[in-house]
Amino acid sequence: MSQPELNGIVAVDGPSGTGKSTTARRLAGSLRAAYLDTGAMYRAATSAVLRAGVSLEDPVEVARVVRESRVVMRMDPELPGVSLDGGDIGEEIRGEAVTGAVSAVSAVPEVREILVAEQRRLITTVTGSGGGVVVEGRDVGTVVVPEAALKVYLTASSDARAQRRSTQDAAAGRASDPQRVHADVRRRDSLDSNRRVAPLRMAEDAVLVDTTELNVEQVLGRLHELVEGRGLLVASERTGK
């Protein structure tokens, strides 16, 4: 029985807490596509820097550590993940230490050059063989793959995003202080939007989707409509992924 499959690149950008990861991963899974979480890649690089003990204010050392580290992304939407130097760090990258430092590491120009080059390599590997990939992050549609056939920018109120972050932390067993989370959301927004290299912004040709009043299923439904509307679906007779 034929099943729709993504053919091409879908870029999903937006600030923290808008539902990017959940909806992008589920979209990829439903369309038998690969999934790339670029934010997790930056968090893995941040873990490497923190483990090395170098100063976040020393861009040369920060870039050296990232360049010498081995970050491997799992692009299966059913079992996504990231490893650093051979060890899984899925839990570590969501911790408070990494969350507090990732904007500083991400702002280093050479770090972005290193990781964007790797992101493009991974995407090309998928699309070069005729496959589809859903890529999520903060500069996917503007920097990583500006040629993406569909660019979506998810947004939501800061209150809604902070509440979602708190709920995610609690569900994962991490301590969650709503006031602290809200302050962190606003801090990340400011740092990501005002950094000199690849600031967080919506691509001119992106579709804006406000998720404040939408649940995951509603957002996913909207993305499916956009993918179909762009003619990015092909029929597949494959029985396995």
mmCIF file of all heavy atoms in Angstrom, residues 25-26 28-29 33-37 72-83 88 90 241:
data_model
loop_
_atom_site.group_PDB
_atom_site.id
_atom_site.type_symbol
_atom_site.label_atom_id
_atom_site.label_comp_id
_atom_site.label_asym_id
_atom_site.label_seq_id
_atom_site.Cartn_x
_atom_site.Cartn_y
_atom_site.Cartn_z
ATOM 1 N N ARG A 25 9.917 16.404 14.756
ATOM 2 C CA ARG A 25 10.216 14.975 14.829
ATOM 3 C C ARG A 25 9.021 14.144 14.393
ATOM 4 O O ARG A 25 9.161 13.184 13.631
ATOM 5 C CB ARG A 25 10.623 14.602 16.258
ATOM 6 C CG ARG A 25 10.955 13.131 16.439
ATOM 7 C CD ARG A 25 11.418 12.839 17.855
ATOM 8 N NE ARG A 25 10.451 13.256 18.853
ATOM 9 C CZ ARG A 25 9.356 12.554 19.177
ATOM 10 N NH1 ARG A 25 9.099 11.394 18.568
ATOM 11 N NH2 ARG A 25 8.531 12.991 20.097
ATOM 12 N N ARG A 26 7.828 14.517 14.853
ATOM 13 C CA ARG A 26 6.642 13.751 14.469
ATOM 14 C C ARG A 26 6.307 13.920 12.989
ATOM 15 O O ARG A 26 5.839 12.981 12.337
ATOM 16 C CB ARG A 26 5.461 14.157 15.355
ATOM 17 C CG ARG A 26 5.584 13.637 16.778
ATOM 18 C CD ARG A 26 4.347 13.903 17.591
ATOM 19 N NE ARG A 26 3.147 13.350 16.972
ATOM 20 C CZ ARG A 26 1.922 13.491 17.479
ATOM 21 N NH1 ARG A 26 1.758 14.145 18.624
ATOM 22 N NH2 ARG A 26 0.880 12.965 16.858
ATOM 23 N N ALA A 28 8.521 14.359 10.614
ATOM 24 C CA ALA A 28 9.480 13.498 9.919
ATOM 25 C C ALA A 28 9.060 12.038 10.004
ATOM 26 O O ALA A 28 9.102 11.308 9.012
ATOM 27 C CB ALA A 28 10.874 13.692 10.507
ATOM 28 N N GLY A 29 8.627 11.611 11.182
ATOM 29 C CA GLY A 29 8.217 10.223 11.348
ATOM 30 C C GLY A 29 7.015 9.862 10.499
ATOM 31 O O GLY A 29 6.960 8.778 9.902
ATOM 32 N N ALA A 33 10.718 10.456 6.798
ATOM 33 C CA ALA A 33 11.858 11.318 6.497
ATOM 34 C C ALA A 33 12.875 11.269 7.625
ATOM 35 O O ALA A 33 12.599 10.784 8.724
ATOM 36 C CB ALA A 33 11.374 12.764 6.297
ATOM 37 N N ALA A 34 14.068 11.759 7.351
ATOM 38 C CA ALA A 34 15.079 11.907 8.385
ATOM 39 C C ALA A 34 14.761 13.150 9.213
ATOM 40 O O ALA A 34 13.995 14.029 8.790
ATOM 41 C CB ALA A 34 16.466 12.034 7.752
ATOM 42 N N TYR A 35 15.346 13.227 10.391
ATOM 43 C CA TYR A 35 15.087 14.338 11.310
ATOM 44 C C TYR A 35 16.408 14.828 11.882
ATOM 45 O O TYR A 35 17.222 14.034 12.360
ATOM 46 C CB TYR A 35 14.164 13.869 12.437
ATOM 47 C CG TYR A 35 14.122 14.771 13.648
ATOM 48 C CD1 TYR A 35 13.567 16.052 13.576
ATOM 49 C CD2 TYR A 35 14.631 14.332 14.870
ATOM 50 C CE1 TYR A 35 13.528 16.877 14.695
ATOM 51 C CE2 TYR A 35 14.595 15.148 15.994
ATOM 52 C CZ TYR A 35 14.038 16.412 15.896
ATOM 53 O OH TYR A 35 14.015 17.228 17.012
ATOM 54 N N LEU A 36 16.639 16.138 11.806
ATOM 55 C CA LEU A 36 17.873 16.707 12.336
ATOM 56 C C LEU A 36 17.553 17.850 13.283
ATOM 57 O O LEU A 36 16.970 18.856 12.882
ATOM 58 C CB LEU A 36 18.756 17.207 11.192
ATOM 59 C CG LEU A 36 20.083 17.876 11.609
ATOM 60 C CD1 LEU A 36 20.939 16.920 12.436
ATOM 61 C CD2 LEU A 36 20.839 18.359 10.383
ATOM 62 N N ASP A 37 17.966 17.692 14.527
ATOM 63 C CA ASP A 37 17.793 18.707 15.569
ATOM 64 C C ASP A 37 19.104 19.475 15.693
ATOM 65 O O ASP A 37 20.028 19.032 16.378
ATOM 66 C CB ASP A 37 17.421 18.022 16.882
ATOM 67 C CG ASP A 37 17.237 18.999 18.035
ATOM 68 O OD1 ASP A 37 17.490 20.209 17.846
ATOM 69 O OD2 ASP A 37 16.854 18.551 19.125
ATOM 70 N N VAL A 72 28.022 13.097 17.006
ATOM 71 C CA VAL A 72 27.323 12.254 16.036
ATOM 72 C C VAL A 72 25.827 12.355 16.294
ATOM 73 O O VAL A 72 25.353 12.129 17.416
ATOM 74 C CB VAL A 72 27.772 10.788 16.134
ATOM 75 C CG1 VAL A 72 26.966 9.918 15.171
ATOM 76 C CG2 VAL A 72 29.265 10.661 15.835
ATOM 77 N N MET A 73 25.068 12.703 15.237
ATOM 78 C CA MET A 73 23.625 12.848 15.350
ATOM 79 C C MET A 73 22.920 11.605 14.828
ATOM 80 O O MET A 73 23.256 11.093 13.762
ATOM 81 C CB MET A 73 23.154 14.060 14.534
ATOM 82 C CG MET A 73 23.809 15.379 14.905
ATOM 83 S SD MET A 73 23.495 15.892 16.608
ATOM 84 C CE MET A 73 21.705 16.086 16.594
ATOM 85 N N ARG A 74 21.935 11.115 15.574
ATOM 86 C CA ARG A 74 21.060 10.054 15.086
ATOM 87 C C ARG A 74 19.845 10.729 14.454
ATOM 88 O O ARG A 74 19.133 11.479 15.128
ATOM 89 C CB ARG A 74 20.624 9.121 16.220
ATOM 90 C CG ARG A 74 21.757 8.288 16.795
ATOM 91 C CD ARG A 74 21.221 7.115 17.611
ATOM 92 N NE ARG A 74 20.362 7.539 18.703
ATOM 93 C CZ ARG A 74 20.804 7.887 19.909
ATOM 94 N NH1 ARG A 74 22.106 7.863 20.168
ATOM 95 N NH2 ARG A 74 19.959 8.250 20.854
ATOM 96 N N MET A 75 19.593 10.449 13.185
ATOM 97 C CA MET A 75 18.565 11.174 12.432
ATOM 98 C C MET A 75 17.282 10.384 12.226
ATOM 99 O O MET A 75 16.435 10.775 11.433
ATOM 100 C CB MET A 75 19.153 11.639 11.101
ATOM 101 C CG MET A 75 20.313 12.596 11.268
ATOM 102 S SD MET A 75 21.102 13.105 9.711
ATOM 103 C CE MET A 75 19.778 14.048 8.943
ATOM 104 N N ASP A 76 17.129 9.286 12.941
ATOM 105 C CA ASP A 76 15.892 8.504 12.898
ATOM 106 C C ASP A 76 14.871 9.195 13.809
ATOM 107 O O ASP A 76 15.087 9.285 15.016
ATOM 108 C CB ASP A 76 16.155 7.080 13.381
ATOM 109 C CG ASP A 76 14.913 6.196 13.331
ATOM 110 O OD1 ASP A 76 13.799 6.731 13.120
ATOM 111 O OD2 ASP A 76 15.052 4.978 13.520
ATOM 112 N N PRO A 77 13.742 9.695 13.273
ATOM 113 C CA PRO A 77 12.779 10.398 14.124
ATOM 114 C C PRO A 77 12.154 9.515 15.193
ATOM 115 O O PRO A 77 11.636 10.019 16.194
ATOM 116 C CB PRO A 77 11.721 10.898 13.124
ATOM 117 C CG PRO A 77 11.846 9.979 11.956
ATOM 118 C CD PRO A 77 13.303 9.648 11.866
ATOM 119 N N GLU A 78 12.209 8.206 15.010
ATOM 120 C CA GLU A 78 11.672 7.292 16.015
ATOM 121 C C GLU A 78 12.641 7.107 17.177
ATOM 122 O O GLU A 78 12.235 6.751 18.283
ATOM 123 C CB GLU A 78 11.372 5.929 15.374
ATOM 124 C CG GLU A 78 10.412 5.984 14.197
ATOM 125 C CD GLU A 78 9.064 6.592 14.565
ATOM 126 O OE1 GLU A 78 8.636 6.418 15.718
ATOM 127 O OE2 GLU A 78 8.459 7.237 13.695
ATOM 128 N N LEU A 79 13.908 7.353 16.919
ATOM 129 C CA LEU A 79 14.917 7.211 17.972
ATOM 130 C C LEU A 79 16.035 8.230 17.744
ATOM 131 O O LEU A 79 17.179 7.881 17.484
ATOM 132 C CB LEU A 79 15.483 5.785 17.970
ATOM 133 C CG LEU A 79 16.369 5.412 19.168
ATOM 134 C CD1 LEU A 79 15.557 5.442 20.451
ATOM 135 C CD2 LEU A 79 17.012 4.055 18.955
ATOM 136 N N PRO A 80 15.704 9.521 17.859
ATOM 137 C CA PRO A 80 16.717 10.549 17.635
ATOM 138 C C PRO A 80 17.672 10.612 18.819
ATOM 139 O O PRO A 80 17.376 10.112 19.912
ATOM 140 C CB PRO A 80 15.894 11.831 17.515
ATOM 141 C CG PRO A 80 14.713 11.572 18.404
ATOM 142 C CD PRO A 80 14.398 10.106 18.223
ATOM 143 N N GLY A 81 18.811 11.234 18.617
ATOM 144 C CA GLY A 81 19.743 11.364 19.719
ATOM 145 C C GLY A 81 21.059 11.948 19.262
ATOM 146 O O GLY A 81 21.272 12.231 18.085
ATOM 147 N N VAL A 82 21.961 12.098 20.216
ATOM 148 C CA VAL A 82 23.264 12.673 19.921
ATOM 149 C C VAL A 82 24.290 12.068 20.869
ATOM 150 O O VAL A 82 24.014 11.799 22.038
ATOM 151 C CB VAL A 82 23.228 14.215 20.067
ATOM 152 C CG1 VAL A 82 22.766 14.632 21.463
ATOM 153 C CG2 VAL A 82 24.576 14.833 19.742
ATOM 154 N N SER A 83 25.479 11.826 20.322
ATOM 155 C CA SER A 83 26.566 11.313 21.150
ATOM 156 C C SER A 83 27.765 12.246 21.038
ATOM 157 O O SER A 83 27.933 12.946 20.031
ATOM 158 C CB SER A 83 26.963 9.896 20.742
ATOM 159 O OG SER A 83 27.513 9.883 19.437
ATOM 160 N N ASP A 88 26.553 8.543 24.670
ATOM 161 C CA ASP A 88 25.265 9.211 24.534
ATOM 162 C C ASP A 88 25.132 10.322 25.576
ATOM 163 O O ASP A 88 25.443 10.123 26.755
ATOM 164 C CB ASP A 88 24.123 8.208 24.720
ATOM 165 C CG ASP A 88 22.776 8.825 24.433
ATOM 166 O OD1 ASP A 88 22.222 9.505 25.321
ATOM 167 O OD2 ASP A 88 22.265 8.646 23.314
ATOM 168 N N GLY A 90 22.165 12.450 25.638
ATOM 169 C CA GLY A 90 20.809 12.954 25.507
ATOM 170 C C GLY A 90 20.292 13.654 26.741
ATOM 171 O O GLY A 90 19.625 14.694 26.652
ATOM 172 N N LYS A 241 11.020 1.328 7.039
ATOM 173 C CA LYS A 241 11.467 2.707 7.026
ATOM 174 C C LYS A 241 12.766 2.852 6.245
ATOM 175 O O LYS A 241 13.623 2.011 6.346
ATOM 176 C CB LYS A 241 11.686 3.218 8.469
ATOM 177 C CG LYS A 241 12.016 4.685 8.462
ATOM 178 C CD LYS A 241 11.991 5.222 9.843
ATOM 179 C CE LYS A 241 12.438 6.643 9.896
ATOM 180 N NZ LYS A 241 11.694 7.570 9.090
#
